Amino acid sequence: MPLLQLNDVQKSYQPGIPVLKDINFSLDRQECVGIVGESGCGKSTLARCILQLERLDQGEILFEGAPLHNKTEREIRPYRRQLQTVMQNPASSLNPKLKIRHSLMEPFRQYGAQVSLTHFQHGSEEQLARQLMEAVELSPDLLSRYPHELSGGQKQRISIARAISLEPALVVLDEPTSSLDVLTQMSILKLLDHLRDALDLSYLFISHDLLAIQALSQKILVMKEGQIVDRFEKDDLFADERHPYTKQLVSLFD
Ligand SMILES: Nc1ncnc2c1ncn2[C@@H]1O[C@H](COP(=O)(O)OP(=O)(O)OP(=O)(O)O)[C@@H](O)[C@H]1O
C-alpha cells in the first residue's frame, strides 16, 4: 500500500476556475517524488491540500490507505505528527522572538509525550535538541541564538530539524532551497538526501527548479496549469518520449 495516494483531486478558490485538475499519483515509503512546474501552476495549493490546510472540491487523499481529506481538525491531529513540512522561507517558520532551542522543541512539547522515537533517543529536551542539531550538521552552540543571528542556510537547517524531530513518515518540501544561494542549495539537498536514508523518511518535493528536483527525487511529475502533464523515473528525464513541456523545462538547463 502506498504511503500517500491522491485520486482525482480537484481544487478551486473561485467557482469555475480550477487550480488543481484531476491530480492522481502515489508515493511509497522512503521514496522522494518530485513535482516541478512554473510559478502559479498550483504546486503550493497541492502541498496545502496534502497538509490538510485546504479542503478539496473533489477527489481523495489517502494516507496509508485511510482518507485524510474528509476528517475534522480533531481527527486529523494524530496525522499531523506523521505529516510535516519545510517551506521556502525559513524565517517565516521561526518565531523571531524565540531562541532556536525553543522553536526547535516546539513540536516535541506539543506531541512528545505520545511519541515513541526510533532514531533519536528519548532523554531530556536538551539531549534531543543536541541530537537534532547533530542530525542537521549544526553546532549546538546555535541553540541559544535568535533566528536573526543565523544565516539563511542555518535557518533552513533548523526548519528541517524541527520537521524531522517527531520522525514523521512524510515531509512535504515546498521550495525548501529556493531562497538560498546555489552552494547552500546543494548542501541542503545533500543533507535532505542523507536524512531520508538515515531516518526512513519519505518526501514530496515541490519546486520550480528541475535541477534540484532531479537531484533528490526518484520519480518526477511535471505540472502545468493545475494538471500533471508528464511523469517518469528520474533517469528518464532526457528520454525522447518526454512531454514537449518537460523538454522545454530541460532546455532551460543550459
Ligand atoms: N488563497 C488563494 N485564494 C485565491 N487564489 C489563490 C490562493 N492561493 C493561490 N491562488 C491562485 O492559485 C493559483 C496557483 O497558485 P499556487 O500558489 O498554488 O501556485 P505555485 O505553483 O505554488 O506558484 P509559486 O511557485 O509562485 O508559489 C494561482 O493562480 C494563484 O493566484
Side-chain angles (χ1 to χ4, degrees):
M1 182 194 305
L3 179 65
L4 181 76
Q5 185 164 351
L6 276 71
N7 295 327
D8 302 324
V9 164
Q10 297 199 32
K11 169 74 189 168
S12 54
Y13 293 104
Q14 291 160 319
I17 310 180
V19 172
L20 299 178
K21 304 169 200 166
D22 289 328
I23 302 286
N24 290 285
F25 72 90
S26 63
L27 185 153
D28 290 328
R29 274 192 180 271
Q30 291 165 41
E31 181 177 53
C32 175
V33 171
I35 300 192
V36 65
E38 287 171 322
S39 180
C41 73
K43 303 184 297 296
S44 294
T45 301
L46 180 61
R48 291 176 58 77
C49 286
I50 292 169
L51 294 164
Q52 303 305 302
L53 302 170
E54 299 282 356
R55 287 265 165 199
L56 307 184
D57 295 353
Q58 270 186 59
E60 51 181 17
I61 298 181
L62 308 176
F63 188 81
E64 293 178 319
L68 276 188
H69 56 281
N70 53 8
K71 296 218 173 338
T72 62
E73 188 47 47
R74 195 191 155 117
E75 289 166 337
I76 211 81
R77 201 177 133 77
Y79 291 91
R80 294 227 179 270
R81 186 217 140 188
Q82 294 288 351
L83 210 55
Q84 295 288 320
T85 183
V86 177
M87 312 278 232
Q88 176 169 358
N89 185 354
S92 65
S93 58
L94 298 174
N95 185 335
K97 295 189 185 138
L98 297 181
K99 285 190 177 168
I100 297 301
R101 173 179 283 103
H102 197 284
S103 292
L104 190 56
M105 296 317 294
E106 229 170 31
F108 193 72
R109 285 197 189 122
Q110 238 184 325
Y111 288 89
Q114 310 146 31
V115 170
S116 71
L117 298 174
T118 311
H119 298 282
F120 299 116
Q121 282 164 9
H122 267 292
S124 66
E125 276 193 18
E126 184 63 22
Q127 280 168 329
L128 184 61
R130 283 172 176 267
Q131 289 176 65
L132 288 169
M133 294 297 272
E134 193 181 327
V136 296
E137 296 159 8
L138 288 178
S139 159
D141 297 348
L142 302 185
L143 285 168
S144 0
R145 295 207 191 160
Y146 289 94
H148 75 268
E149 296 172 317
L150 265 55
S151 71
Q154 288 171 330
K155 275 191 277 229
Q156 197 57 303
R157 282 172 191 263
I158 299 293
S159 306
I160 293 168
R162 253 174 68 120
I164 62 168
S165 64
L166 300 175
E167 298 182 355
L170 177 66
V171 184
V172 177
L173 305 164
D174 189 358
E175 304 270 12
T177 56
S178 299
S179 65
L180 306 170
D181 67 75
V182 178
L183 281 181
T184 312
Q185 279 184 21
M186 281 166 54
S187 69
I188 296 281
L189 289 174
K190 214 169 134 200
L191 172 70
L192 286 167
D193 202 29
H194 164 73
L195 289 172
R196 188 173 60 78
D197 255 5
L199 303 179
D200 301 324
L201 301 170
S202 316
Y203 295 147
L204 181 68
F205 179 24
I206 293 176
S207 176
H208 67 277
D209 180 349
L210 187 50
L211 268 181
I213 289 280
Q214 194 205 14
L216 201 61
S217 318
Q218 283 89 46
K219 275 195 228 152
I220 301 179
L221 312 178
V222 179
M223 219 173 142
K224 185 172 191 271
E225 294 166 7
Q227 277 177 308
I228 295 174
V229 295
D230 203 1
R231 61 181 79 214
F232 47 91
E233 300 290 318
K234 156 213 180 113
D235 290 343
D236 295 331
L237 174 60
F238 301 103
D240 266 356
E241 70 261 28
R242 289 285 61 81
H243 188 277
Y245 182 65
T246 311
K247 289 184 176 168
Q248 203 180 322
L249 293 179
V250 168
S251 72
L252 300 175
F253 268 14
D254 307 326

